[in-house]
Amino acid sequence: MPLFDADTLAGWLQHLEALHPSAIDMGLARVTQVRDAMGLTPSFPVLTVAGTNGKGSVCAMLSSMFRAAGYKVGTYTSPHLIDYNERVRINMQPAADADLLASFRAIEAARGEITLTYFEFGTLAAMRQFIDEGVDVAIMEVGLGGRLDAVNVFDPDVAGVVSIDLDHQSYLGDTRELIGAEKAGIFRAGKPALCADPNPPQSIIDLASRVGAPLQLVGRDFGFMKEGEGNQWVFWGAQGKHHALPIPALRGSYQMGNATLAIAMLDEVRLKLPVGIGDIKRGLLEVEWPARCQVLPGRPQTVLDVAHNPHAARALRQALDQMGYAAKTHAVFGAMGDKDIGGVVSALADRIDHWYLAAPQLPRAASTEQLQAAVLQAAPQALTSAYGSVEQAWKAACEQAAETDRILVFGSFYTVAEVMAAQHGNGSR
C-alpha cells in the first residue's frame, strides 16, 4: 500500500516532491529508462521550445494557432501558477485530476526502483496523457536548459530557442555561450532548428552544424516587418510570407519576436499540419497566457508579470513604458534567493515609487532583508516596506495606491501565484 493518499492529486504531488533526493538532477538516463519501460513513443509531431525567457508565450501562441485550425493540441508548460493541472493542457484546457492520477499510477508501476524528480515524473505523465488522448500535435516547453532536461527524451520534429541570457548559472554555465550550448541540446539531425535571439551565441550555430540540424536564425532566415500605417505586420520565412497579421493579444512589444518564432515553427510542420492564414490571425488574437504583462481590469491598474531575471525585467520595463501614464508605481516584489536580484531591481528601480517586499512561501525564497538590501543598493533613496507574506504586501499596496497609480506584482512565478491565489480566495497546490 502506498504511504501517501493515492486517491488525490495533492497526495501524489507530495509523493513526487519526496521521491528523489534532489529537486533538480540534470541527466536523461533515469527518465529514458522509464519512458522506454512505458513505451512512450509519440506518433504525432512534437514541437519543443527552449530559451531563457519567452518559452511559455511561444507555446501558448503555437497552441492557439493550431487550435484555431481545428487540431487537438497537447501543451506541456511549467511551472504552474495556481493548480498543477495548468502544466498539462488539452486544447488549452487544464487536465482533469483523474487523468493525471491515471498517468501517475502508470509511471509509478513502470519505474520500479528508479527514482524520478518531480519534473521528470510530470513530463512523462504529460506525454502519456497526450498519447492516450490522441492529440494531433504536442507543444513541449523545456523546464531548464535543454540538453539534459526531461523534455529532451522526446525527439522534436521542430526545435525552437527563443532567447539566451544569464539564468540558472549554477546548472547551465555563467556565459551566454555555455547557456546557448545547453539550450541547443534539443536540436536533432535533419530536423528544423530555429533561434529567435537576435544575437545568437556562436555555440548555437556550432552545435546545429555538429548535429546536422538545419538552423534558421531570426533576421537572416525568418523575421517580421511592419505593414502599412496600422497595427498589422508581415511574417517572412523559409516557407514564404504571411501578410496583414494582427498584433498578438499578449502585451509587450517583445511578443512580436515570440510570435515570429511561433509562426516559423508552425510553418515547418505545414505538410503534416497545415494551418491557414485565417487560423494564424485568429490564434494571435485569441491567445491567452496569464501573468505575462497581464493587466487586470479595474483601477488602480494592476500588472502581473513573472519576470525573475534581468533579461525579463528589462522587457517588463519596456512594456510598462508602453502602457502609458501612471501617477505612481507600487511594486509588490518577492524573488528566489538564487536569482540575480540586484540585476532585476536595477532594471526597474527608476520606474518604481514604492516597494512592498515579501518572501514567497518557499524555502529558497530570498528574505525581506535580502530584498531590501538589493533595492537600496540599486536605489538608495527608494521607499521600501517589508511584510510577512506576499498577500499582506499586495493588500498594503492596494490600500495605498490611488486610482491613477499602478500596482506591479513581479519577481517570481511564486510571487505572482500567491497574489492570484489571494484574489481567488484559495491556496495553490
Side-chain angles (χ1 to χ4, degrees), residues 279-334:
D279 302 318
I280 292 174
K281 293 178 179 180
R282 181 180 165 194
L284 293 174
L285 287 170
E286 294 183 352
V287 63
E288 296 180 356
W289 200 232
R292 277 70 175 182
C293 221
Q294 180 184 3
V295 178
L296 303 182
R299 291 287 176 184
Q301 183 186 68
T302 300
V303 180
L304 307 180
D305 196 279
V306 294
H308 57 278
N309 55 50
H311 182 261
R314 291 192 294 270
L316 174 57
R317 174 195 177 100
Q318 184 182 45
L320 291 175
D321 288 347
Q322 293 166 348
M323 283 184 192
Y325 174 79
K328 290 183 178 180
T329 296
H330 304 255
V332 178
F333 180 62

Side-chain angles (χ1 to χ4, degrees), residues 73-305:
V73 186
T75 310
Y76 178 58
T77 58
S78 62
H80 59 278
L81 286 166
I82 304 297
D83 294 324
Y84 182 90
N85 313 57
E86 299 165 24
R87 295 181 179 225
V88 183
R89 295 174 183 260
I90 304 294
N91 289 339
M92 297 309 289
Q93 295 303 308
D97 283 13
D99 292 330
L100 290 171
L101 295 185
S103 291
F104 288 161
R105 290 179 183 126
I107 296 166
E108 187 76 352
R111 70 177 182 84
E113 298 300 312
I114 300 169
T115 60
L116 297 171
T117 66
Y118 182 97
F119 183 77
E120 290 167 345
F121 214 108
T123 301
L124 292 172
M127 185 55 75
R128 181 190 179 277
Q129 183 164 349
F130 296 159
I131 293 171
D132 190 53
E133 290 272 359
V135 302
D136 297 308
V137 60
I139 314 298
M140 306 289 286
E141 179 189 358
V142 167
L144 179 62
R147 181 175 65 93
L148 298 177
D149 187 84
V151 165
N152 204 30
V153 300
F154 299 107
D155 292 331
D157 293 78
V158 184
V161 175
V162 189
S163 59
I164 302 99
D165 214 291
L166 301 183
D167 200 6
H168 301 292
Q169 290 97 312
S170 58
Y171 294 102
L172 305 180
D174 57 4
T175 68
R176 291 182 76 246
E177 290 293 338
L178 290 171
I179 293 172
E182 291 295 323
K183 296 190 184 301
I186 65 172
F187 294 169
R188 294 295 191 275
K191 300 295 185 180
L194 299 93
C195 179
D197 192 297
N199 182 29
Q202 186 64 35
S203 59
I204 290 265
I205 299 167
D206 292 345
L207 197 143
S209 175
R210 190 157 63 245
V211 303
L215 179 65
Q216 297 179 36
L217 298 177
V218 72
R220 186 189 76 180
D221 304 297
F222 67 97
F224 72 92
M225 64 185 78
K226 290 288 187 179
E227 184 172 55
E229 299 298 319
N231 287 326
Q232 294 186 333
W233 59 288
V234 178
F235 165 86
W236 56 270
Q239 314 306 330
K241 294 182 177 180
H242 299 297
H243 290 273
L245 296 174
I247 301 298
L250 303 182
R251 288 176 179 265
S253 59
Y254 57 88
Q255 294 291 0
M256 291 296 297
N258 294 338
T260 300
L261 176 61
I263 295 172
M265 293 180 69
L266 179 145
D267 273 358
E268 289 301 323
V269 291
R270 74 197 184 289
L271 296 180
K272 291 182 179 179
L273 301 169
V275 177
I277 184 65
D279 302 318
I280 292 174
K281 293 178 179 180
R282 181 180 165 194
L284 293 174
L285 287 170
E286 294 183 352
V287 63
E288 296 180 356
W289 200 232
R292 277 70 175 182
C293 221
Q294 180 184 3
V295 178
L296 303 182
R299 291 287 176 184
Q301 183 186 68
T302 300
V303 180
L304 307 180
D305 196 279

